[in-house]
mmCIF file of all heavy atoms in Angstrom:
data_model
loop_
_atom_site.group_PDB
_atom_site.id
_atom_site.type_symbol
_atom_site.label_atom_id
_atom_site.label_comp_id
_atom_site.label_asym_id
_atom_site.label_seq_id
_atom_site.Cartn_x
_atom_site.Cartn_y
_atom_site.Cartn_z
ATOM 1 N N ASP A 206 24.566 18.542 -15.781
ATOM 2 C CA ASP A 206 23.500 18.475 -16.785
ATOM 3 C C ASP A 206 24.087 18.524 -18.192
ATOM 4 O O ASP A 206 24.829 19.443 -18.527
ATOM 5 C CB ASP A 206 22.526 19.641 -16.595
ATOM 6 C CG ASP A 206 21.586 19.754 -17.786
ATOM 7 O OD1 ASP A 206 21.070 18.694 -18.208
ATOM 8 O OD2 ASP A 206 21.386 20.865 -18.298
ATOM 9 N N HIS A 207 23.745 17.552 -19.000
ATOM 10 C CA HIS A 207 24.187 17.548 -20.394
ATOM 11 C C HIS A 207 23.017 17.794 -21.336
ATOM 12 O O HIS A 207 23.187 17.782 -22.553
ATOM 13 C CB HIS A 207 24.794 16.180 -20.757
ATOM 14 C CG HIS A 207 26.029 15.850 -19.982
ATOM 15 N ND1 HIS A 207 27.286 16.168 -20.403
ATOM 16 C CD2 HIS A 207 26.181 15.252 -18.778
ATOM 17 C CE1 HIS A 207 28.181 15.770 -19.504
ATOM 18 N NE2 HIS A 207 27.527 15.209 -18.512
ATOM 19 N N GLU A 208 21.811 17.936 -20.759
ATOM 20 C CA GLU A 208 20.617 17.915 -21.614
ATOM 21 C C GLU A 208 20.281 19.275 -22.212
ATOM 22 O O GLU A 208 20.067 19.389 -23.418
ATOM 23 C CB GLU A 208 19.456 17.315 -20.819
ATOM 24 C CG GLU A 208 19.763 15.861 -20.454
ATOM 25 C CD GLU A 208 18.845 15.267 -19.389
ATOM 26 O OE1 GLU A 208 17.882 15.943 -18.974
ATOM 27 O OE2 GLU A 208 19.102 14.108 -18.979
ATOM 28 N N ILE A 209 20.258 20.311 -21.361
ATOM 29 C CA ILE A 209 19.966 21.655 -21.894
ATOM 30 C C ILE A 209 21.039 22.057 -22.917
ATOM 31 O O ILE A 209 20.694 22.528 -24.011
ATOM 32 C CB ILE A 209 19.858 22.692 -20.745
ATOM 33 C CG1 ILE A 209 18.697 22.332 -19.813
ATOM 34 C CG2 ILE A 209 19.733 24.106 -21.310
ATOM 35 C CD1 ILE A 209 17.325 22.745 -20.256
ATOM 36 N N PRO A 210 22.342 21.844 -22.607
ATOM 37 C CA PRO A 210 23.342 22.193 -23.627
ATOM 38 C C PRO A 210 23.103 21.448 -24.942
ATOM 39 O O PRO A 210 23.281 22.018 -26.020
ATOM 40 C CB PRO A 210 24.673 21.754 -22.986
ATOM 41 C CG PRO A 210 24.416 21.801 -21.520
ATOM 42 C CD PRO A 210 22.975 21.444 -21.336
ATOM 43 N N ALA A 211 22.655 20.180 -24.857
ATOM 44 C CA ALA A 211 22.422 19.413 -26.085
ATOM 45 C C ALA A 211 21.239 19.984 -26.861
ATOM 46 O O ALA A 211 21.266 20.071 -28.091
ATOM 47 C CB ALA A 211 22.173 17.946 -25.749
ATOM 48 N N ILE A 212 20.208 20.383 -26.142
ATOM 49 C CA ILE A 212 19.036 20.964 -26.819
ATOM 50 C C ILE A 212 19.453 22.262 -27.521
ATOM 51 O O ILE A 212 19.095 22.510 -28.673
ATOM 52 C CB ILE A 212 17.892 21.212 -25.799
ATOM 53 C CG1 ILE A 212 17.372 19.869 -25.266
ATOM 54 C CG2 ILE A 212 16.759 22.010 -26.442
ATOM 55 C CD1 ILE A 212 16.411 19.981 -24.089
ATOM 56 N N LEU A 213 20.259 23.068 -26.823
ATOM 57 C CA LEU A 213 20.705 24.331 -27.427
ATOM 58 C C LEU A 213 21.575 24.064 -28.658
ATOM 59 O O LEU A 213 21.466 24.747 -29.671
ATOM 60 C CB LEU A 213 21.466 25.169 -26.391
ATOM 61 C CG LEU A 213 20.586 25.680 -25.234
ATOM 62 C CD1 LEU A 213 21.423 26.427 -24.206
ATOM 63 C CD2 LEU A 213 19.466 26.578 -25.767
ATOM 64 N N ARG A 214 22.443 23.039 -28.534
ATOM 65 C CA ARG A 214 23.304 22.701 -29.664
ATOM 66 C C ARG A 214 22.454 22.288 -30.871
ATOM 67 O O ARG A 214 22.695 22.705 -31.992
ATOM 68 C CB ARG A 214 24.242 21.554 -29.269
ATOM 69 C CG ARG A 214 25.592 21.635 -29.924
ATOM 70 C CD ARG A 214 26.668 20.833 -29.212
ATOM 71 N NE ARG A 214 26.218 19.587 -28.654
ATOM 72 C CZ ARG A 214 26.317 19.270 -27.363
ATOM 73 N NH1 ARG A 214 26.868 20.117 -26.510
ATOM 74 N NH2 ARG A 214 25.877 18.123 -26.922
ATOM 75 N N ALA A 215 21.425 21.479 -30.598
ATOM 76 C CA ALA A 215 20.550 21.026 -31.688
ATOM 77 C C ALA A 215 19.824 22.221 -32.303
ATOM 78 O O ALA A 215 19.704 22.329 -33.526
ATOM 79 C CB ALA A 215 19.554 20.001 -31.169
ATOM 80 N N LEU A 216 19.366 23.131 -31.468
ATOM 81 C CA LEU A 216 18.643 24.299 -31.982
ATOM 82 C C LEU A 216 19.560 25.205 -32.802
ATOM 83 O O LEU A 216 19.101 25.938 -33.674
ATOM 84 C CB LEU A 216 18.012 25.089 -30.823
ATOM 85 C CG LEU A 216 16.826 24.398 -30.139
ATOM 86 C CD1 LEU A 216 16.410 25.146 -28.884
ATOM 87 C CD2 LEU A 216 15.642 24.271 -31.099
ATOM 88 N N ASP A 217 20.851 25.143 -32.502
ATOM 89 C CA ASP A 217 21.824 25.884 -33.308
ATOM 90 C C ASP A 217 22.155 25.155 -34.606
ATOM 91 O O ASP A 217 23.034 25.591 -35.361
ATOM 92 C CB ASP A 217 23.141 26.064 -32.522
ATOM 93 C CG ASP A 217 23.044 27.206 -31.511
ATOM 94 O OD1 ASP A 217 22.129 28.043 -31.663
ATOM 95 O OD2 ASP A 217 23.875 27.248 -30.586
#
Side-chain angles (χ1 to χ4, degrees):
D206 168 45
H207 296 269
E208 297 166 5
I209 298 279
I212 294 170
L213 293 176
R214 213 160 37 238
L216 289 171
D217 280 342

